[in-house]
């Protein structure tokens, strides 16, 4: 245990009744789509976060990080953790499969928050009604504690205002508005605040712009802590230095100059191997249009990429990595 370390503050997540740490550990970055940490490396980092007061952990079916959380649960106990997962399920059958995959692979009797992943608008919410109805049924059965959605779109956040059953929102938010697909950061904050005033839990994602804002991490996290709409900040971390910096900045404490130097020199980037077969699956999956094809082959627009790594998840040749 890290007795000397300050403990991360906790807050009630809207009206859900869940008490969560102000920093949520986004597990996308430790899995195969990004850092590809070994199970031992991953659980060591997750446990370090837990010892520093982090009880909130975010995952998704597509992240392939359930094994790390299973190990964390075994190490610290289930009751002390708040765990989120998400899926792209559309039908009730798909939703049931996604939920039970999470329950089984994490060896847990329930998921604290289960979300509809990457919603775009009122239309996509309507299209996922069967899955949403299943999750609400599972909530009554005690398999889920709260239901929510994740999004990069203001339209989806606005749509949640009319959906009282949506209790938690994960939305892309950062000081530059990088990655928002349909408007400005100011517009996103207005929509999130309206949801917060209705008692919904608000979690900000991509605070560091998927790695683009790591060199400005101090300013980026300071901006996020000033936003009254956010209950918790979901930040992906790949090493102890990133964890220490994020916690120190969040709690307005002194940051190690060595850690800042180490992290500020690093910027996560998409790497495409020379054995890419140009099948086109990555471009079809890319949510921002950073990847596309022309007669000359694969085109990568780095300025549009927020290094989510989703493209790597569909590459049949494992030719794409984020690190």
């Amino acid at each position: 245990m890290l007795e000397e370390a300050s403990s991360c503050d906790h807050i009630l997540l809207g009206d859900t009744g869940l008490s969560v740490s102000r920093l949520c550990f986004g597990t996308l970055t430790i899995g195969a789509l990004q850092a590809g940490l070994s199970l031992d490396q991953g659980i060591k980092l997750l446990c370090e976060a837990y010892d520093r007061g982090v009880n909130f952990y975010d995952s998704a079916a597509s992240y392939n990080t359930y094994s790390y959380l299973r190990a964390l649960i075994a190490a610290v106990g289930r009751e002390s953790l708040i765990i989120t997962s998400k899926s792209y399920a559309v039908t009730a059958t798909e939703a049931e499969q996604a939920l039970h995959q999470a329950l089984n692979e994490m060896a847990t009797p329930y998921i604290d928050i289960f979300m509809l992943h990457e919603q775009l608008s009122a239309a996509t919410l309507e299209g996922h009604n069967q899955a949403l109805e299943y999750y609400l049924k599972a909530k009554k059965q005690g398999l889920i504690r709260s239901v929510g959605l994740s999004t990069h779109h203001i339209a989806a956040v606005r749509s949640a205002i009319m959906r009282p059953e949506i209790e938690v929102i994960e939305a892309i938010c950062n000081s530059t508005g990088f990655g928002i697909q349909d408007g400005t950061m100011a517009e996103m904050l207005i929509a999130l605040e309206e949801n917060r005033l209705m008692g919904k839990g608000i979690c900000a994602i991509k605070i560091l712009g998927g790695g683009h804002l790591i060199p400005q991490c101090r300013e980026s996290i300071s901006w996020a802590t000033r936003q009254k709409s956010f209950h918790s900040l979901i930040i992906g971390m790949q090493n102890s230095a990133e964890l220490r910096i994020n916690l120190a900045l969040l709690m307005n404490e002194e940051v190690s100059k060595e850690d800042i130097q180490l992290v500020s020199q690093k910027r996560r980037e998409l790497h495409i191997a020379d054995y890419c077969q140009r099948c086109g699956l990555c471009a079809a999956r890319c949510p921002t249009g950073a990847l596309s094809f022309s007669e000359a082959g694969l085109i990568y627009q780095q300025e549009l990429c927020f290094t989510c790594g989703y493209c790597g998840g569909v590459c049949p040749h494992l030719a794409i990595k984020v690190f």
Side-chain angles (χ1 to χ4, degrees):
M1 301 291 286
L2 303 173
E3 299 289 345
E4 76 282 359
S6 298
S7 183
C8 184
D9 292 337
H10 288 207
I11 188 173
L12 284 174
L13 186 61
D15 292 340
T16 65
L18 303 174
S19 178
V20 301
S21 49
R22 294 299 301 272
L23 176 65
C24 175
F25 196 123
T27 63
L28 170 64
T29 51
I30 67 175
L33 296 181
Q34 295 204 19
L37 299 185
S38 69
L39 186 58
D40 286 345
Q41 290 172 324
I43 186 58
K44 182 179 180 181
L45 185 57
L46 294 182
C47 283
E48 182 180 350
Y50 177 81
D51 285 342
R52 293 179 182 273
V54 176
N55 76 332
F56 196 13
Y57 296 82
D58 179 70
S59 188
S62 60
Y63 295 177
N64 295 320
T65 57
Y66 289 160
S67 59
Y68 300 98
L69 291 170
R70 181 187 184 113
L72 179 65
I73 290 170
V76 306
R78 181 65 181 92
E79 294 301 317
S80 58
L81 300 171
I82 304 296
I83 295 175
T84 296
S85 191
K86 307 176 280 291
S87 91
Y88 296 109
V90 173
T91 68
T93 298
E94 291 170 344
E96 182 177 14
Q97 291 171 344
L99 174 59
H100 283 276
Q101 177 191 2
L103 295 172
N104 294 335
E105 293 189 14
M106 285 190 275
T108 175
Y110 61 91
I111 305 296
D112 297 284
I113 307 166
F114 211 94
M115 296 190 160
L116 301 172
H117 203 172
E118 285 194 90
Q119 293 300 295
L120 308 181
S121 64
T124 57
L125 268 176
E126 186 69 25
H128 287 75
N129 260 344
Q130 285 189 33
L132 180 58
E133 289 299 321
Y134 173 78
Y135 293 141
L136 294 172
K137 177 182 175 182
K139 180 184 174 185
K140 290 180 180 179
Q141 297 171 339
L143 301 177
I144 295 172
R145 298 174 72 183
S146 292
V147 175
L149 65 81
S150 70
T151 186
H152 299 159
H153 289 74
I154 299 165
V157 177
R158 288 175 177 154
S159 298
I161 295 168
M162 307 304 295
R163 294 272 195 157
E165 66 272 28
I166 299 293
E167 303 166 283
V168 182
I169 297 171
E170 289 186 5
I172 189 168
C173 298
N174 54 66
S175 58
T176 68
F178 181 77
I180 296 176
Q181 300 297 295
D182 59 347
T184 67
M185 190 66 249
E187 292 170 324
M188 177 68 87
L189 289 174
I190 290 170
L192 287 171
E193 179 62 10
E194 189 165 351
N195 277 280
R196 185 190 70 85
L197 291 173
M198 296 174 65
K200 303 190 180 196
I202 307 297
C203 301
I205 61 175
K206 305 296 183 187
I207 296 296
L208 299 178
H212 284 264
L213 302 179
I214 286 177
Q216 296 85 44
C217 60
R218 188 187 298 272
E219 296 82 1
S220 298
I221 293 178
S222 176
W223 173 87
T225 60
R226 296 195 302 271
Q227 307 310 311
K228 63 181 180 179
S229 298
F230 306 160
H231 294 104
S232 188
L233 311 181
I234 302 178
I235 303 179
M237 295 163 277
Q238 297 182 345
N239 55 60
S240 295
E242 292 180 357
L243 171 63
R244 290 192 297 267
I245 289 172
N246 291 333
L247 282 170
L249 292 175
L250 188 63
M251 296 187 287
N252 198 28
E253 294 180 350
E254 192 67 27
V255 181
S256 160
K257 292 181 180 179
E258 292 78 10
D259 283 345
I260 284 287
Q261 184 177 14
L262 177 66
V263 170
S264 63
Q265 292 173 345
K266 175 184 177 182
R267 176 175 171 177
R268 293 187 186 117
E269 294 181 347
L270 190 73
H271 297 263
I272 304 171
D274 56 10
Y275 54 83
C276 166
Q277 301 297 301
R278 298 175 175 82
C279 65
L281 291 175
C282 58
R285 181 65 186 86
C286 179
T288 66
L291 292 172
S292 60
F293 276 87
S294 72
E295 292 181 359
L298 181 62
I299 299 172
Y300 173 46
Q301 295 176 270
Q302 187 178 35
E303 69 277 9
L304 297 178
C305 176
F306 52 85
T307 59
C308 61
Y310 293 170
C311 53
V314 298
C315 177
H317 307 288
L318 304 179
I320 302 179
K321 291 285 186 182
V322 172
F323 53 86

